[in-house]
Amino acid sequence: MAITIKEIAQKAGVSRGTVDRALNGRGGVSPEVERRILDIANLYGYKPNKLAKALATKANPSKIGLISIENIFFDQVIEGVIRAEEEISDFGVTVCRRMIRGYDAKSQLEAINSMVYQEKVDALAISPVSDRQVIARLAELAAEGFPIVNVNMDVPFSKKLAYVGCDYFKSGRTAAGLMGLITGERAQVGIISGCGNVMGHTQRVEGFMSVVKNEYPDIQVVDIADSYDDEQRSYDAVEAMLRQHPQIDALCFTTGGAGGGLKAAEALRGKRLRIVAFDQTPITERYLMDGLIKAIVCQQPNEQGYQAIRLLFEYLMEGERPASQQVLTELTIKIKQSMESESRGGAR
Amino acid sequence: MAITIKEIAQKAGVSRGTVDRALNGRGGVSPEVERRILDIANLYGYKPNKLAKALATKANPSKIGLISIENIFFDQVIEGVIRAEEEISDFGVTVCRRMIRGYDAKSQLEAINSMVYQEKVDALAISPVSDRQVIARLAELAAEGFPIVNVNMDVPFSKKLAYVGCDYFKSGRTAAGLMGLITGERAQVGIISGCGNVMGHTQRVEGFMSVVKNEYPDIQVVDIADSYDDEQRSYDAVEAMLRQHPQIDALCFTTGGAGGGLKAAEALRGKRLRIVAFDQTPITERYLMDGLIKAIVCQQPNEQGYQAIRLLFEYLMEGERPASQQVLTELTIKIKQSMESESRGGAR
DNA sequence: TTGAAAGCGCTAACAC
DNA sequence: GTGTTAGCGCTTTCAA
């Protein structure tokens, strides 16, 4: 059993109230006494009891804000957030969610301010776009000590609590590795990229190229097109690419939202193309089961949402910053058979 | 805010103690008063506060027993167990762990009894071998209402709380799917199976065969050998197999512990063989990075350990049985690039 | 600057 | 049968 405030108070020869003040930096404790208390707490590895704390602070419970993007991929992030919500609701901590349509900086700025000033949240989880003003605002808040976690999308500012998401560069490398495996390391590849102002998509392409360049002399990346995460534009991009480069026999889609592009690929070439894609969405899932896509490199959006909220919760409850500012979720690869849902059952 | 015991007591004109007795069916309450209390509780939708409950019962805390196998794979299960332990320690619940060398029924029986009678645990998580006596003992305990969760390995008895582990049949199917992808659906395959009395390994082989049979007319499974999860025997098995069937150009190892077999494969044929294996262990990891193994089908041992303990914890705290008796962890595929640890970093 | 004490919601031991 | 009371570990208010 861990040491309690009461025990520390005894050992230090002071009252519980004083220990509480010292431990939580509420001020009003003489430096000398504070030192003594902190030393004892440290020595015995004091960890506050979350339960007791939650019970005691039930009067003014904490609130976490979440600002995310409105689309099928982020729905999975939200699922994880909700899972975390259920776990922490017992502690009186609530989550206020806000979904934003598209990757719009203005709306994000508005949402941030609304969260802070209207909803008066105590912490923020956000999937920020790479926008100068958004970054500046987040940096400012973080500098004031406001806890912020970036989920799934990352932007640079030093005082953030953490980034929870995947390693996009590595996911690009993984896609290239898969491409090597399924093509016998010989292919003419076309890449269909996602949205320009989403940093992750760019990094995926870079990761992909790094492997092709260094490890697969017989794989050429013939063309790279941008789909702008739009149905029609991705259809057109793929159609144009395949017409212009008839030698292309493999495709890599760096975004899970390019249903149009996949449709074009199927229409023009059918299953002769070897296709690798990213992210499990209803679209990629369908084409994987269908056999058009051979493999998908997935992040774990559900886990990301869950971890982001948990991290903020731990911070609010115990004041503990995560061990690393980069909390990377594992990459997982899916193929048809690993996606199938039916089980033959095991022991009863 | 939900209604509390105190408030119910006021409304019913009785003491908190009486309400507690009535609500928890501890007896010693007159039927008439009990009715009144229950009605009020119902009317106002009383829900007990978990935190307060846990705090109050901290005096006689619960204890969960864990019986697992002593090897590198199960170390990962233990990691997850420890993660869960940390989370539930606030609730005063502890975990008593016991690792057993090998798949020995006798030792498992002893451990079970020791846990129940000496350690007096309130619940048990176990990775049971497929042994008649072990199953009988577990079934007996479960029938008495003792909560039992099977972790990673499953055996049949009806009253278990749950099995937490992967779908072995499906993992076999996934390995076959991978084999199809990396061989262009044309190969002569040898299978090196694991331990006979581990049900999962058998199911993996069956899953593998089911895909080959139905989907890959040009893949033949030439031979199946047993490695008994032993270094030397697996070396010998592979050596014999490759000598006897020179046409074999692909291998599937259904166990992550067969380092000897992999060594033999490398010695005799080098990287010309296309190899698929199961489970991330230091051995499979090394050979994957090395290029001998092309892909690994992983379960999530860490998650399995975590979930098993969480499930028992929830049951002990709230009396809630899991929604399904089969809690299946997702399969993940690893290739060289997705295993690499270095990141090029993203936003700071 | 420090201490004392009253709760948060629940359980359990003991008294009536 | 039922009421009373003392905690569980922490926060917070009010005195000193």
Side-chain angles (χ1 to χ4, degrees):
Chain A
M1 189 76 78
I3 195 172
T4 70
I5 278 195
K6 195 174 161 189
E7 293 167 316
I8 295 181
Q10 274 171 357
K11 287 188 201 297
V14 296
S15 75
R16 286 147 60 186
T18 304
V19 175
D20 179 58
R21 282 187 282 269
L23 253 27
N24 294 287
R26 296 189 218 284
V29 182
S30 76
E32 184 224 346
V33 174
E34 178 153 0
R35 253 274 53 81
R36 189 145 38 100
I37 292 175
L38 256 38
D39 283 348
I40 296 178
N42 238 322
L43 180 63
Y44 290 91
Y46 170 76
K47 293 209 63 182
N49 183 312
K50 262 193 279 197
L51 300 182
K53 182 165 190 163
L55 246 196
T57 52
K58 233 182 158 221
N60 53 341
S62 311
K63 193 169 174 182
I64 297 173
L66 170 83
I67 299 175
S68 74
I69 318 289
E70 186 179 335
N71 68 34
I72 37 174
F73 177 79
F74 275 94
D75 287 351
Q76 300 173 68
V77 177
I78 304 288
E79 269 177 40
V81 169
I82 292 173
R83 185 157 55 93
E85 263 182 76
E86 280 160 10
E87 274 187 29
I88 66 182
S89 67
D90 277 334
F91 294 81
V93 179
T94 54
V95 177
C96 169
R97 291 176 251 140
R98 171 98 91 250
M99 267 90 88
I100 290 179
R101 186 171 289 274
Y103 299 93
D104 180 42
K106 275 265 161 50
S107 316
Q108 287 214 339
L109 277 170
E110 273 173 33
I112 294 171
N113 288 325
S114 150
M115 281 289 180
V116 174
Y117 299 117
Q118 250 116 73
E119 300 285 351
K120 298 194 191 311
V121 299
D122 306 286
L124 190 60
I126 183 172
S127 302
V129 292
S130 288
D131 173 83
R132 151 169 302 205
Q133 284 190 64
V134 170
I135 298 175
R137 184 74 185 102
L138 292 174
E140 186 182 8
L141 285 168
E144 288 167 13
F146 193 86
I148 299 181
V149 165
N150 289 345
V151 201
N152 185 271
M153 304 204 281
D154 200 15
V155 294
F157 59 100
S158 55
K159 297 282 192 214
K160 78 180 92 157
L161 204 61
Y163 158 64
V164 179
C166 80
D167 181 336
Y168 283 99
F169 185 75
K170 184 174 169 185
S171 80
R173 289 182 59 81
T174 301
L178 279 172
M179 189 61 92
L181 284 177
I182 66 180
T183 60
E185 305 189 7
R186 177 177 298 274
Q188 302 287 311
V189 182
I191 296 178
I192 294 85
S193 168
C195 198
N197 71 334
V198 178
M199 199 186 285
H201 293 180
T202 318
Q203 293 177 340
R204 279 177 178 162
V205 174
E206 289 168 7
F208 191 95
M209 301 302 287
S210 76
V211 171
V212 168
K213 199 165 297 172
N214 298 320
E215 302 180 38
Y216 300 139
D218 294 332
I219 295 186
Q220 272 85 46
V221 173
V222 177
D223 194 8
I224 302 182
D226 208 319
S227 75
Y228 304 96
D229 260 342
D230 174 83
E231 195 70 7
Q232 187 57 46
R233 290 172 85 166
S234 80
Y235 189 102
D236 296 343
V238 170
E239 190 177 32
M241 180 187 284
L242 290 179
R243 287 207 195 289
Q244 198 179 340
H245 306 283
Q247 79 273 33
I248 285 180
D249 55 10
L251 290 178
C252 175
F253 286 84
T254 69
T255 164
L262 285 159
K263 206 180 291 176
E266 185 167 37
L268 267 70
R269 298 284 189 83
K271 307 218 168 97
R272 278 159 310 171
L273 283 169
R274 276 81 53 94
I275 301 183
V276 169
F278 287 88
D279 294 341
Q280 183 172 350
T281 67
I283 298 171
T284 54
E285 203 170 318
R286 199 186 94 220
Y287 282 111
L288 183 73
M289 293 314 288
D290 184 50
L292 182 71
I293 295 179
K294 304 300 182 208
I296 305 179
V297 180
C298 306
Q299 20 185 345
Q300 309 204 64
N302 187 300
E303 194 61 20
Q304 290 170 7
Y306 176 81
Q307 290 295 347
I309 301 301
R310 285 293 311 196
L311 244 56
L312 288 171
F313 169 70
E314 311 270 286
Y315 181 73
L316 289 175
M317 297 301 287
E318 324 191 6
E320 250 174 37
R321 304 181 80 87
S324 164
Q325 235 186 357
Q326 301 260 103
V327 179
L328 299 180
T329 55
E330 253 187 280
L331 298 171
T332 72
I333 299 167
K334 296 270 177 187
I335 63 172
K336 188 179 165 196
Q337 288 82 2
S338 65
M339 187 91 86
E340 289 167 353
S341 55
E342 338 85 292
S343 158
R344 221 197 38 163
R348 182 176 46 96
Chain B
M1 189 72 80
I3 194 171
T4 71
I5 279 196
K6 196 175 162 188
E7 293 168 315
I8 296 181
Q10 273 171 357
K11 288 189 201 296
V14 295
S15 75
R16 285 149 57 188
T18 304
V19 175
D20 180 55
R21 281 187 283 269
L23 252 27
N24 294 287
R26 296 189 218 285
V29 180
S30 78
E32 183 223 348
V33 173
E34 178 154 0
R35 253 272 56 82
R36 189 145 40 102
I37 294 174
L38 257 39
D39 281 348
I40 296 177
N42 237 322
L43 180 62
Y44 290 92
Y46 170 75
K47 291 210 65 181
N49 182 315
K50 250 201 287 202
L51 274 57
K53 183 168 187 159
L55 246 197
T57 50
K58 240 194 149 196
N60 53 341
S62 311
K63 194 169 174 184
I64 297 174
L66 171 83
I67 299 175
S68 74
I69 318 288
E70 187 179 335
N71 69 34
I72 37 175
F73 177 79
F74 275 93
D75 287 350
Q76 301 173 67
V77 177
I78 305 288
E79 270 177 38
V81 169
I82 292 173
R83 186 158 54 94
E85 265 182 74
E86 279 160 11
E87 274 187 30
I88 66 181
S89 67
D90 276 334
F91 294 81
V93 180
T94 55
V95 177
C96 169
R97 291 177 250 141
R98 171 99 92 252
M99 268 90 87
I100 289 178
R101 188 171 288 274
Y103 299 91
D104 180 40
K106 275 264 161 50
S107 317
Q108 286 214 338
L109 278 170
E110 274 173 34
I112 293 171
N113 288 326
S114 150
M115 281 290 181
V116 174
Y117 299 118
Q118 249 115 75
E119 299 285 351
K120 298 193 191 312
V121 299
D122 306 286
L124 190 61
I126 182 171
S127 303
V129 291
S130 288
D131 172 83
R132 152 170 303 206
Q133 284 189 65
V134 170
I135 297 175
R137 183 75 186 103
L138 292 174
E140 187 182 8
L141 283 168
E144 288 167 13
F146 192 86
I148 299 180
V149 164
N150 289 345
V151 201
N152 186 272
M153 303 204 282
D154 200 16
V155 293
F157 59 99
S158 55
K159 296 283 192 217
K160 81 181 89 157
L161 205 60
Y163 158 65
V164 179
C166 81
D167 181 334
Y168 283 99
F169 186 75
K170 184 174 169 184
S171 78
R173 288 182 59 83
T174 301
L178 280 170
M179 189 60 93
L181 284 177
I182 66 181
T183 61
E185 306 191 7
R186 177 176 299 274
Q188 302 287 310
V189 182
I191 296 179
I192 294 85
S193 168
C195 197
N197 70 335
V198 178
M199 200 186 286
H201 293 181
T202 317
Q203 293 177 340
R204 279 176 177 163
V205 174
E206 289 168 8
F208 191 95
M209 302 301 287
S210 77
V211 171
V212 168
K213 200 165 297 172
N214 298 319
E215 302 180 35
Y216 300 139
D218 295 331
I219 295 187
Q220 271 85 45
V221 173
V222 178
D223 194 8
I224 302 181
D226 208 320
S227 75
Y228 303 96
D229 261 342
D230 175 84
E231 196 71 6
Q232 188 57 45
R233 291 171 84 167
S234 80
Y235 188 102
D236 297 342
V238 170
E239 190 176 34
M241 181 187 283
L242 290 179
R243 288 207 194 288
Q244 198 179 340
H245 307 282
Q247 79 272 33
I248 285 180
D249 56 11
L251 290 178
C252 174
F253 286 83
T254 69
T255 165
L262 286 159
K263 206 181 291 174
E266 186 167 38
L268 267 71
R269 299 285 189 82
K271 307 220 168 94
R272 279 160 310 171
L273 282 170
R274 276 80 53 93
I275 301 183
V276 169
F278 287 88
D279 292 342
Q280 183 172 350
T281 68
I283 298 171
T284 55
E285 205 170 317
R286 200 185 94 219
Y287 282 110
L288 183 73
M289 293 314 288
D290 184 50
L292 183 71
I293 296 179
K294 305 298 183 211
I296 304 179
V297 180
C298 305
Q299 23 185 345
Q300 309 204 62
N302 186 300
E303 194 61 20
Q304 290 170 8
Y306 176 80
Q307 289 296 345
I309 301 301
R310 285 293 312 195
L311 245 54
L312 287 171
F313 168 71
E314 310 270 285
Y315 181 73
L316 289 175
M317 295 301 288
E318 322 190 11
E320 252 173 36
R321 304 181 80 88
S324 164
Q325 236 186 355
Q326 301 260 104
V327 179
L328 299 179
T329 55
E330 253 188 282
L331 298 172
T332 72
I333 298 166
K334 297 270 179 189
I335 65 173
K336 188 180 165 197
Q337 287 82 4
S338 65
M339 187 91 85
E340 289 166 350
S341 55
E342 339 84 293
S343 158
R344 219 196 41 163
R348 186 175 43 98

